Amino acid sequence: SKRIGEMASTERTIRDRMHIILESYRVLVTQIVQSFASGSVTETSELMNKLIEKDRELSSTVRELKEHQEFQKKIIQTQNEIDKKDQQITNVMQVLRSAETILSELVHEGKKQIKILDKSQSAMPAVEDIVSYSHKISGTTSAPPGWKGDTPLYMFKPPAPREDEMRSGLLYSKVAEDIVSQYLQQQNQNK
């Protein structure tokens, strides 16, 4: 930024010098024409020498101006490249922020899963308890081989609770009885 300002002030200096040299050039040419008209050879010769010197100064300033323009082009190209790189960096930063958010959520979720896994492993019953419970419920999970619905059971319970067992259970209440009686009445009416 500082260099750009310096270059801008140099450009003004070159421009000012160009204007001064060109104005001097114009004045010298006018004086040379007037000197030819008056016929003064010595004055014309001096003016021509001054004009040649101004021409060298002008050529030098033009070269300097061309160099300056080349530098200016390079500066503009470099600024454009910097802008592109800045945009790429901004894009990468956005992608990284997005990835950071996703990874943070995954880590948080992973920690939850680890806590759940730790709790489930600590709450897992012993194998002996599972075997004991399976023996306890084995009589209620299936009927013995060859059992028919009207056959009495010995050491087994039927695969589904009987009506009298359902009525004596905690799930059955006065509300359930009312619903069942209404349903039965509707069934009798529909017949």
Side-chain angles (χ1 to χ4, degrees), residues 23-41:
E23 181 61 27
S24 298
Y25 210 82
R26 186 188 65 78
V27 169
L28 282 172
V29 169
T30 306
Q31 288 175 351
I32 290 172
V33 169
Q34 289 173 353
S35 172
F36 275 133
S38 67
S40 172
V41 176

Side-chain angles (χ1 to χ4, degrees), residues 14-183:
I14 292 172
R15 184 181 300 139
D16 291 343
R17 286 193 325 217
M18 288 292 286
H19 285 297
I20 291 169
I21 292 170
L22 290 174
E23 181 61 27
S24 298
Y25 210 82
R26 186 188 65 78
V27 169
L28 282 172
V29 169
T30 306
Q31 288 175 351
I32 290 172
V33 169
Q34 289 173 353
S35 172
F36 275 133
S38 67
S40 172
V41 176
T42 54
E43 186 181 345
T44 305
S45 175
E46 289 176 17
L47 290 173
M48 288 298 283
N49 288 335
K50 286 182 183 180
L51 184 65
I52 292 170
E53 189 177 316
K54 281 295 175 190
D55 187 56
R56 287 185 193 133
E57 193 177 335
L58 179 64
S59 296
S60 171
T61 307
V62 166
R63 278 193 301 273
E64 190 177 337
L65 178 62
K66 285 181 181 179
E67 288 175 9
H68 175 73
Q69 288 174 339
E70 289 298 317
F71 284 134
Q72 194 67 26
K73 285 179 186 177
K74 288 179 183 179
I75 288 172
I76 291 170
Q77 286 175 338
T78 304
Q79 284 177 334
N80 290 339
E81 289 174 13
I82 289 171
D83 290 343
K84 286 179 186 176
K85 297 296 181 186
D86 281 347
Q87 184 60 43
Q88 289 174 346
I89 289 170
T90 301
N91 293 343
V92 168
M93 286 174 52
Q94 289 173 346
V95 168
L96 289 175
R97 282 187 188 130
S98 172
E100 178 186 23
T101 302
I102 291 169
L103 289 174
S104 175
E105 291 171 2
L106 288 174
V107 167
H108 183 69
E109 188 62 33
K111 286 180 181 179
K112 283 183 183 178
Q113 295 296 328
I114 289 172
K115 285 180 182 179
I116 291 170
L117 183 62
D118 288 344
K119 284 182 181 179
S120 69
Q121 287 177 347
S122 66
M124 187 179 289
V127 173
E128 295 83 19
D129 293 340
I130 294 172
V131 171
S132 170
Y133 186 70
S134 69
H135 282 292
K136 186 187 276 185
I137 65 169
S138 66
T140 61
T141 57
S142 63
W147 178 77
K148 294 184 174 125
D150 57 348
T151 314
L153 295 171
Y154 301 102
M155 295 185 61
F156 283 99
K157 290 187 178 182
R162 295 184 313 258
E163 187 177 341
D164 61 330
E165 290 175 331
M166 287 294 289
R167 289 184 190 274
S168 66
L170 294 175
L171 293 176
Y172 189 77
S173 68
K174 178 75 174 139
V175 174
E177 189 175 286
D178 290 343
I179 292 171
V180 169
S181 65
Q182 287 175 0
Y183 175 73

